[in-house]
Amino acid sequence: ADAWSEALDGMFEDLAAKPPKALVLDVRGNSGGSTEPLAELLPRLVSPWQIYSSATIRQQKGNGTWKDPVTKPWKAKKGKPEYEGPVYVLTDASTFSTGVDLAATLSDLGRAKVVGEVPGGLPTSTGNKQSVKLPSGLVLEVATARFVRADPSKGDGPLAVDLPSHPEQALAAVLKDLE
């Protein structure tokens, strides 16, 4: 197991041993990154029958040509979620990409309240960039994946915030909501 998986194992063991009033996930200022950590985190928070996202991915073949795009749903593979208490996700205008994916997925599935500012990124977006060097020497970066939010009926617009607040007051808004 990698360090992220081990850290999650320890965190969820602690949550089970001493359940908190709520789990707060802070993605303020998160500019994104790989979606792979979400594949480890989300199944611990959502039911196995819930599709929490889908992606259409196009991969480059060894000879430089492209394979046909493949769409795959992502869903929890485990049984009962490891943590079933309240979840809050803190966001701000500097939350993008995978940070938005986390907030949108948990919000769309009714699993979390989003607190703070509307994220800067969109829940349905492109990513997994591939660099292609052009004959001129310029490098073109091409998105090879389109990520679709868990509830596509909510559209392609910005993620709605359940508890709007200034980013510095987001945790206070969570505490007030828990009263």
Side-chain angles (χ1 to χ4, degrees), residues 71-155:
T71 299
K72 65 176 185 176
W74 293 337
K75 62 183 189 176
K77 294 179 176 64
K78 296 183 176 189
K80 182 179 168 185
E82 293 178 46
Y83 176 77
E84 295 183 286
V87 179
Y88 294 85
V89 183
L90 310 184
T91 62
D92 65 10
S94 297
T95 304
F96 291 92
S97 193
T98 304
V100 177
D101 293 344
L102 173 66
T105 298
L106 294 175
S107 174
D108 284 1
L109 297 176
R111 191 63 191 89
K113 289 184 180 180
V114 178
V115 183
E117 292 180 322
V118 172
L122 298 172
T124 295
S125 61
T126 58
N128 288 8
K129 65 184 177 184
Q130 179 82 29
S131 296
V132 179
K133 189 168 185 175
L134 302 175
S136 67
L138 293 173
V139 176
L140 175 68
E141 291 190 341
V142 179
T144 61
R146 179 173 190 263
F147 300 98
V148 179
R149 68 188 303 167
D151 184 354
S153 72
K154 294 193 175 182

Side-chain angles (χ1 to χ4, degrees), residues 6-23 44 82-83:
E6 289 175 10
L8 287 177
D9 288 343
M11 182 182 85
F12 280 95
E13 286 170 14
D14 291 347
L15 291 173
K18 189 174 179 188
K21 284 185 180 181
L23 176 62
R44 298 168 188 256
E82 293 178 46
Y83 176 77

Side-chain angles (χ1 to χ4, degrees), residues 5 29 31 82 100 102 124 156 162-163:
S5 294
S31 61
E82 293 178 46
V100 177
L102 173 66
T124 295
D156 292 336
D162 300 297
L163 300 173

Side-chain angles (χ1 to χ4, degrees), residues 24 26 28 88-91 115-117 163-176:
V24 177
D26 188 351
R28 293 174 294 179
Y88 294 85
V89 183
L90 310 184
T91 62
V115 183
E117 292 180 322
L163 300 173
S165 73
H166 187 278
E168 292 177 12
Q169 299 301 316
L171 191 54
V174 169
L175 295 174
K176 184 176 180 183

